[in-house]
């Protein structure tokens, strides 16, 4: 999904009558269009195919993001309308209730997909492989030997030396993918300027972008700026939430009960701060949405890159060599894992869940480190 761009504005009524196939290209290009579709689906009669589409595996997280965005937009709208006696408040209150109800359902759908993905992933994960697990733990105990074997394997197969450290977070992964050419995005003057600008300049650009629904700042959507955009939005939320009467930088919360008794000027300063806070939180949803899409695209490209495949194979060979050199330690680790196998070489996720795995690893590595494994 691309960054902000000029597209014909989609209206709620359009969603109710448009065929689902015609909606897909719109919200593939524009997050704002997706938000409109999400509000329409929550508050109106739309084709059943549109409802099913939003709940499909490939779209359900985008649907969840759009509902979060819509909730903030509707909440501050209702607050302002109630304080000013705007008769449209009743209609928007209904929409807000429906969006919040649908948001609860969307969280359940997402949780179900996470649960199924976790179960399916564990079945295919190297963590299920007892031999792989034992070699991995052994490499942490003998990091210098593993590094030596890996360098030899890479050299023997003509692989270039590793020049970059492993990614520590999703932004590292995206930036690494960009340097490797897995992501294509031009470095415009606006992007280059924000990449070298001090944090305050990026924060000011993020604040200006949050204040404008139209005329957005496209540079912030560049893969190399997603980290700085996220950091700027976090800082803006921390600066704004006390002024907005919010309980934390992460959620707007209800309008303070004392708001109705405030003088006119103070009331509107509070409402304006809440509108800005909601916009910042919306942009955080949008930034996370963009980050997830870019990271997924980078991951797919990386899986197809022959260099990554070759590097994984080199690591596997280095691990096998390490297990041969430290064969007694390797055999002992395998013996400690054996009670958790449901068939030879395959670990049982029910017996060895995350907590149990951490406990076994800690016990094994401590015994190997102090030499007590020989007496076990």
């Amino acid at each position: 999904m691309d960054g902000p761009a000029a597209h014909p504005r989609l209206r709620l009524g359009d969603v109710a009558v448009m065929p689902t196939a015609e909606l897909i290209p719109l919200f593939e290009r524009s997050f704002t269009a997706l938000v409109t579709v999400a509000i329409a689906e929550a508050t109106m009669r739309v084709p059943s195919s549109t409802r099913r589409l939003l709940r499909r595996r490939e779209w359900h997280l985008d649907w969840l993001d759009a509902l979060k965005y819509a909730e903030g937009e509707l909440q501050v709208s209702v607050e302002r309308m109630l304080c000013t006696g705007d008769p449209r408040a009743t209609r928007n209150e209904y929409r807000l209730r429906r969006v919040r109800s649908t948001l609860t359902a969307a969280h359940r759908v997402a949780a179900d997909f996470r649960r199924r993905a976790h179960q399916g992933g564990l079945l295919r994960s190297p963590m299920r492989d007892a031999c792989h697990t034992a070699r991995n733990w052994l490499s942490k105990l003998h990091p210098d030997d593993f590094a030596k074997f890996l360098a030899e394997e890479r050299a023997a197969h003509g692989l270039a030396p590793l020049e970059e450290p492993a990614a520590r977070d999703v932004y590292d992964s995206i930036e690494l993918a960009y340097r490797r050419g897995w992501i294509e995005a031009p470095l415009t003057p606006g992007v280059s300027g924000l990449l070298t600008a001090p944090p305050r300049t990026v924060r000011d650009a993020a604040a200006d972008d949050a204040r404008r629904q139209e005329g957005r700042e496209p540079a912030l959507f560049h893969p190399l700026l997603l980290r700085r955009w996220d950091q700027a939005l976090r800082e803006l939320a921390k600066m704004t939430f006390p002024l907005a009467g919010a309980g934390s930088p992460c959620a707007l919360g209800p309008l303070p009960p004392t708001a109705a008794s405030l003088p006119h000027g103070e009331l509107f300063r509070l409402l304006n701060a809440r509108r800005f806070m909601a916009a910042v939180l919306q942009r955080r949803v949008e930034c996370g949405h963009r980050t997830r899409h870019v990271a997924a695209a980078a991951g797919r490209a990386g899986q197809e890159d022959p260099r990554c495949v070759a590097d994984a194979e080199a690591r596997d060979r280095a691990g096998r060599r390490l297990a041969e050199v430290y064969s007694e330690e390797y055999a002992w680790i395998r013996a400690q894992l054996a009670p958790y196998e449901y068939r030879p070489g395959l670990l049982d996720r029910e017996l060895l869940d995350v907590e149990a795995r951490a406990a076994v690893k800690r016990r094994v590595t401590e015994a190997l480190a102090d030499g007590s494994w020989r007496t076990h």
Side-chain angles (χ1 to χ4, degrees), residues 135-143 146 322 361 365:
R135 291 195 295 267
N136 179 263
W137 292 0
L138 198 61
S139 70
K140 300 298 187 293
L141 289 159
H142 303 286
F146 178 74
L322 190 71
K361 181 179 181 180
T365 53

Side-chain angles (χ1 to χ4, degrees), residues 5-155:
H7 298 296
R9 188 169 182 83
L10 184 66
R11 295 172 299 182
L12 292 176
D14 298 333
V15 181
V17 298
M18 287 180 69
T20 302
E22 293 181 19
L23 289 173
I24 294 174
L26 293 179
F27 62 64
E28 280 182 334
R29 294 194 303 267
S30 167
F31 182 68
T32 303
L34 177 60
V35 172
T36 302
V37 173
I39 295 174
E41 193 273 337
T43 61
M44 305 171 64
R45 288 184 176 274
V46 301
S48 57
S49 56
T50 299
R51 295 186 186 280
R52 290 194 299 271
L53 174 73
L54 293 173
R55 290 160 175 77
R56 275 172 24 190
R57 181 183 297 275
E58 61 268 37
W59 285 108
H60 77 282
L61 290 177
D62 298 326
W63 174 48
L64 182 62
D65 287 341
L67 287 168
K68 291 177 184 175
Y69 191 103
E71 181 188 27
E73 186 74 26
L74 287 166
Q75 179 176 341
V76 294
S77 174
V78 166
E79 289 174 356
R80 184 173 290 270
M81 288 176 177
L82 288 173
C83 288
T84 58
D86 191 318
R88 295 173 296 173
T90 300
R91 181 189 64 183
N92 274 10
E93 279 186 299
Y94 167 76
R95 287 176 174 170
L96 178 58
R97 287 195 303 271
R98 293 301 308 153
V99 163
R100 283 176 169 165
S101 175
T102 307
L103 185 56
T104 299
H107 277 296
R108 287 198 298 265
V109 170
D112 184 56
F113 274 121
R114 279 197 305 272
R115 187 163 48 250
R116 283 189 264 171
H118 178 66
Q119 291 170 348
L122 283 173
L123 290 172
R124 298 184 296 273
S125 170
M127 292 175 67
R128 296 274 289 180
D129 186 326
C131 297
H132 180 278
T133 297
R135 291 195 295 267
N136 179 263
W137 292 0
L138 198 61
S139 70
K140 300 298 187 293
L141 289 159
H142 303 286
D144 293 340
D145 288 330
F146 178 74
K148 172 176 174 290
F149 291 147
L150 179 57
E152 291 173 355
E153 289 295 332
R154 293 180 64 83

Side-chain angles (χ1 to χ4, degrees), residues 237 240-241 244 246 248-252 273-282:
T240 307
F241 87 90
S248 81
C250 302
L252 188 60
R274 289 178 70 79
R275 179 67 193 93
F276 180 69
M277 174 83 177
V280 169
L281 295 177
Q282 287 173 324

